[in-house]
Amino acid sequence: QLQLVESGGGLVQAGGALNISCAASGRPFDTYIMGWFRQAPGKEREFVAAINWSGDATYYQDSLKGRIFISRDNAKKTAFLQMNSLKPEDSAVYYCAAKNRYYSGSVYSGAEYDYWGQGTQVTVSS
C-alpha cells in the first residue's frame, strides 16, 4: 500500500504563487509516476501535471503550461507542484496520485492511477 498526504494549500491573492506538496509512505516511491489533478465545485476532476519516476520527464495540461511546474525528491519521497500567476479559476481541491511505472496507460488519465491522497484546498481570491 502507498499512502499520499497533500499539504500547502490555502488562500492566495490573484497573481500570487503557491507551492503544494505530496508526502508518500509505504511502497517504494520510485516505483511510481506521480501526478496532480484538481476538481472545482460543479466540475469534473481534471489532469494538471505528471512526472516520471526519475524526474527527467514532465507532462502538463496545455492550458496551464508556463504557470505550473511539477517536481519530485525521491530521497524525501515527496512530490511538489509550484503554481505561479494564480487566477480565481485555479481554485479547486488539488489531489496527488501515483501510477505504477511498469504498467501501460496514459499519464493524463486519472483512471490509470493506483493511489490517491485526500486533497488540499487552494482558493484564489480576486
Side-chain angles (χ1 to χ4, degrees):
Q1 191 71 243
L2 183 71
Q3 293 80 45
L4 303 173
V5 180
E6 302 95 334
S7 63
L11 296 170
V12 62
Q13 290 188 23
L18 201 63
N19 191 5
I20 58 176
S21 62
C22 172
S25 61
R27 302 294 294 174
F29 186 59
D30 62 4
T31 301
Y32 300 96
I33 295 165
M34 299 302 298
W36 286 97
F37 294 77
R38 69 183 185 183
Q39 187 167 27
K43 297 183 179 180
E44 294 185 351
R45 180 179 292 173
E46 67 175 345
F47 171 81
V48 174
I51 188 166
N52 78 332
W53 72 274
S54 62
D56 61 0
T58 56
Y59 313 85
Y60 295 99
Q61 180 168 257
D62 288 342
S63 63
L64 301 175
K65 288 181 178 178
R67 296 198 298 118
I68 295 182
F69 306 91
I70 188 170
S71 62
R72 67 189 294 162
D73 185 335
N74 285 349
K76 297 181 179 179
K77 302 180 71 173
T78 304
F80 304 91
L81 184 69
Q82 176 67 46
M83 298 182 285
N84 303 318
S85 301
L86 286 164
K87 306 173 182 179
E89 52 262 45
D90 293 320
S91 297
V93 177
Y94 284 72
Y95 296 93
C96 176
K99 178 186 185 304
N100 194 302
R101 71 184 181 95
Y102 296 104
Y103 299 162
S104 62
S106 174
V107 300
Y108 301 97
S109 174
E112 301 296 331
Y113 287 75
D114 304 295
Y115 301 100
W116 293 81
Q118 291 80 25
T120 186
Q121 176 71 52
V122 172
T123 303
V124 184
S125 63
S126 60

mmCIF file of all heavy atoms in Angstrom, residues 11-17 67 84-91 123-126:
data_model
loop_
_atom_site.group_PDB
_atom_site.id
_atom_site.type_symbol
_atom_site.label_atom_id
_atom_site.label_comp_id
_atom_site.label_asym_id
_atom_site.label_seq_id
_atom_site.Cartn_x
_atom_site.Cartn_y
_atom_site.Cartn_z
ATOM 1 N N LEU A 11 -5.270 30.082 1.150
ATOM 2 C CA LEU A 11 -5.761 31.277 0.473
ATOM 3 C C LEU A 11 -4.608 32.061 -0.132
ATOM 4 O O LEU A 11 -3.565 32.229 0.495
ATOM 5 C CB LEU A 11 -6.517 32.165 1.454
ATOM 6 C CG LEU A 11 -7.791 31.607 2.071
ATOM 7 C CD1 LEU A 11 -8.257 32.511 3.199
ATOM 8 C CD2 LEU A 11 -8.880 31.466 1.016
ATOM 9 N N VAL A 12 -4.810 32.551 -1.349
ATOM 10 C CA VAL A 12 -3.801 33.362 -2.016
ATOM 11 C C VAL A 12 -4.500 34.359 -2.935
ATOM 12 O O VAL A 12 -5.556 34.064 -3.488
ATOM 13 C CB VAL A 12 -2.810 32.475 -2.809
ATOM 14 C CG1 VAL A 12 -3.538 31.704 -3.904
ATOM 15 C CG2 VAL A 12 -1.675 33.296 -3.385
ATOM 16 N N GLN A 13 -3.928 35.547 -3.083
ATOM 17 C CA GLN A 13 -4.495 36.554 -3.974
ATOM 18 C C GLN A 13 -4.192 36.226 -5.429
ATOM 19 O O GLN A 13 -3.193 35.587 -5.738
ATOM 20 C CB GLN A 13 -3.935 37.942 -3.659
ATOM 21 C CG GLN A 13 -4.398 38.529 -2.351
ATOM 22 C CD GLN A 13 -3.956 39.970 -2.186
ATOM 23 O OE1 GLN A 13 -3.687 40.674 -3.156
ATOM 24 N NE2 GLN A 13 -3.889 40.419 -0.948
ATOM 25 N N ALA A 14 -5.057 36.679 -6.318
ATOM 26 C CA ALA A 14 -4.818 36.513 -7.745
ATOM 27 C C ALA A 14 -3.470 37.115 -8.116
ATOM 28 O O ALA A 14 -3.113 38.201 -7.660
ATOM 29 C CB ALA A 14 -5.931 37.173 -8.549
ATOM 30 N N GLY A 15 -2.708 36.391 -8.932
ATOM 31 C CA GLY A 15 -1.381 36.822 -9.310
ATOM 32 C C GLY A 15 -0.288 36.303 -8.403
ATOM 33 O O GLY A 15 0.899 36.430 -8.718
ATOM 34 N N GLY A 16 -0.674 35.705 -7.293
ATOM 35 C CA GLY A 16 0.282 35.176 -6.344
ATOM 36 C C GLY A 16 0.751 33.784 -6.708
ATOM 37 O O GLY A 16 0.411 33.240 -7.759
ATOM 38 N N ALA A 17 1.542 33.193 -5.815
ATOM 39 C CA ALA A 17 2.122 31.878 -6.050
ATOM 40 C C ALA A 17 1.912 30.973 -4.839
ATOM 41 O O ALA A 17 1.743 31.445 -3.709
ATOM 42 C CB ALA A 17 3.612 31.998 -6.355
ATOM 43 N N ARG A 67 2.793 28.282 -16.139
ATOM 44 C CA ARG A 67 2.394 28.771 -14.822
ATOM 45 C C ARG A 67 2.572 27.721 -13.731
ATOM 46 O O ARG A 67 2.719 28.078 -12.563
ATOM 47 C CB ARG A 67 0.935 29.227 -14.815
ATOM 48 C CG ARG A 67 0.635 30.407 -15.703
ATOM 49 C CD ARG A 67 -0.694 31.048 -15.315
ATOM 50 N NE ARG A 67 -1.820 30.141 -15.474
ATOM 51 C CZ ARG A 67 -2.612 29.739 -14.483
ATOM 52 N NH1 ARG A 67 -2.393 30.153 -13.243
ATOM 53 N NH2 ARG A 67 -3.629 28.927 -14.726
ATOM 54 N N ASN A 84 2.225 29.451 -10.159
ATOM 55 C CA ASN A 84 2.503 30.877 -10.257
ATOM 56 C C ASN A 84 1.382 31.596 -10.996
ATOM 57 O O ASN A 84 0.586 30.979 -11.701
ATOM 58 C CB ASN A 84 3.828 31.111 -10.990
ATOM 59 C CG ASN A 84 4.996 30.423 -10.333
ATOM 60 O OD1 ASN A 84 5.121 30.419 -9.111
ATOM 61 N ND2 ASN A 84 5.881 29.847 -11.144
ATOM 62 N N SER A 85 1.342 32.922 -10.844
ATOM 63 C CA SER A 85 0.343 33.753 -11.527
ATOM 64 C C SER A 85 -1.057 33.168 -11.386
ATOM 65 O O SER A 85 -1.790 33.013 -12.363
ATOM 66 C CB SER A 85 0.719 33.907 -13.006
ATOM 67 O OG SER A 85 1.992 34.492 -13.154
ATOM 68 N N LEU A 86 -1.423 32.855 -10.171
ATOM 69 C CA LEU A 86 -2.689 32.177 -9.915
ATOM 70 C C LEU A 86 -3.893 33.049 -10.259
ATOM 71 O O LEU A 86 -3.878 34.266 -10.083
ATOM 72 C CB LEU A 86 -2.758 31.733 -8.459
ATOM 73 C CG LEU A 86 -1.883 30.517 -8.132
ATOM 74 C CD1 LEU A 86 -1.696 30.389 -6.627
ATOM 75 C CD2 LEU A 86 -2.503 29.250 -8.708
ATOM 76 N N LYS A 87 -4.932 32.391 -10.748
ATOM 77 C CA LYS A 87 -6.178 33.033 -11.138
ATOM 78 C C LYS A 87 -7.323 32.458 -10.313
ATOM 79 O O LYS A 87 -7.235 31.332 -9.837
ATOM 80 C CB LYS A 87 -6.453 32.794 -12.626
ATOM 81 C CG LYS A 87 -5.324 33.203 -13.553
ATOM 82 C CD LYS A 87 -5.616 32.769 -14.982
ATOM 83 C CE LYS A 87 -4.484 33.135 -15.914
ATOM 84 N NZ LYS A 87 -4.756 32.692 -17.300
ATOM 85 N N PRO A 88 -8.417 33.212 -10.141
ATOM 86 C CA PRO A 88 -9.562 32.680 -9.393
ATOM 87 C C PRO A 88 -10.052 31.336 -9.926
ATOM 88 O O PRO A 88 -10.490 30.490 -9.138
ATOM 89 C CB PRO A 88 -10.618 33.772 -9.555
ATOM 90 C CG PRO A 88 -9.823 35.027 -9.670
ATOM 91 C CD PRO A 88 -8.619 34.634 -10.491
ATOM 92 N N GLU A 89 -9.971 31.118 -11.232
ATOM 93 C CA GLU A 89 -10.412 29.861 -11.813
ATOM 94 C C GLU A 89 -9.503 28.679 -11.473
ATOM 95 O O GLU A 89 -9.836 27.532 -11.773
ATOM 96 C CB GLU A 89 -10.566 29.975 -13.338
ATOM 97 C CG GLU A 89 -9.345 30.526 -14.041
ATOM 98 C CD GLU A 89 -9.465 32.009 -14.341
ATOM 99 O OE1 GLU A 89 -9.894 32.768 -13.448
ATOM 100 O OE2 GLU A 89 -9.130 32.412 -15.480
ATOM 101 N N ASP A 90 -8.355 28.946 -10.843
ATOM 102 C CA ASP A 90 -7.486 27.878 -10.358
ATOM 103 C C ASP A 90 -7.971 27.312 -9.032
ATOM 104 O O ASP A 90 -7.447 26.292 -8.566
ATOM 105 C CB ASP A 90 -6.049 28.371 -10.199
ATOM 106 C CG ASP A 90 -5.383 28.703 -11.516
ATOM 107 O OD1 ASP A 90 -5.585 27.960 -12.495
ATOM 108 O OD2 ASP A 90 -4.647 29.709 -11.568
ATOM 109 N N SER A 91 -8.939 27.961 -8.398
ATOM 110 C CA SER A 91 -9.466 27.493 -7.123
ATOM 111 C C SER A 91 -10.063 26.099 -7.279
ATOM 112 O O SER A 91 -10.912 25.873 -8.143
ATOM 113 C CB SER A 91 -10.526 28.454 -6.592
ATOM 114 O OG SER A 91 -9.979 29.725 -6.324
ATOM 115 N N THR A 123 -7.555 28.184 -2.729
ATOM 116 C CA THR A 123 -8.542 29.215 -3.020
ATOM 117 C C THR A 123 -7.828 30.494 -3.432
ATOM 118 O O THR A 123 -7.009 31.026 -2.675
ATOM 119 C CB THR A 123 -9.435 29.493 -1.808
ATOM 120 O OG1 THR A 123 -10.080 28.289 -1.399
ATOM 121 C CG2 THR A 123 -10.493 30.530 -2.153
ATOM 122 N N VAL A 124 -8.143 30.986 -4.628
ATOM 123 C CA VAL A 124 -7.527 32.196 -5.168
ATOM 124 C C VAL A 124 -8.575 33.301 -5.169
ATOM 125 O O VAL A 124 -9.612 33.189 -5.821
ATOM 126 C CB VAL A 124 -6.986 31.969 -6.583
ATOM 127 C CG1 VAL A 124 -6.271 33.226 -7.074
ATOM 128 C CG2 VAL A 124 -6.043 30.776 -6.609
ATOM 129 N N SER A 125 -8.310 34.374 -4.443
ATOM 130 C CA SER A 125 -9.241 35.486 -4.348
ATOM 131 C C SER A 125 -8.938 36.533 -5.415
ATOM 132 O O SER A 125 -7.793 36.690 -5.850
ATOM 133 C CB SER A 125 -9.176 36.128 -2.963
ATOM 134 O OG SER A 125 -7.895 36.692 -2.721
ATOM 135 N N SER A 126 -9.976 37.271 -5.825
ATOM 136 C CA SER A 126 -9.821 38.317 -6.821
ATOM 137 C C SER A 126 -9.648 39.681 -6.189
ATOM 138 O O SER A 126 -9.219 40.621 -6.827
ATOM 139 C CB SER A 126 -11.019 38.323 -7.772
ATOM 140 O OG SER A 126 -12.217 38.550 -7.055
#
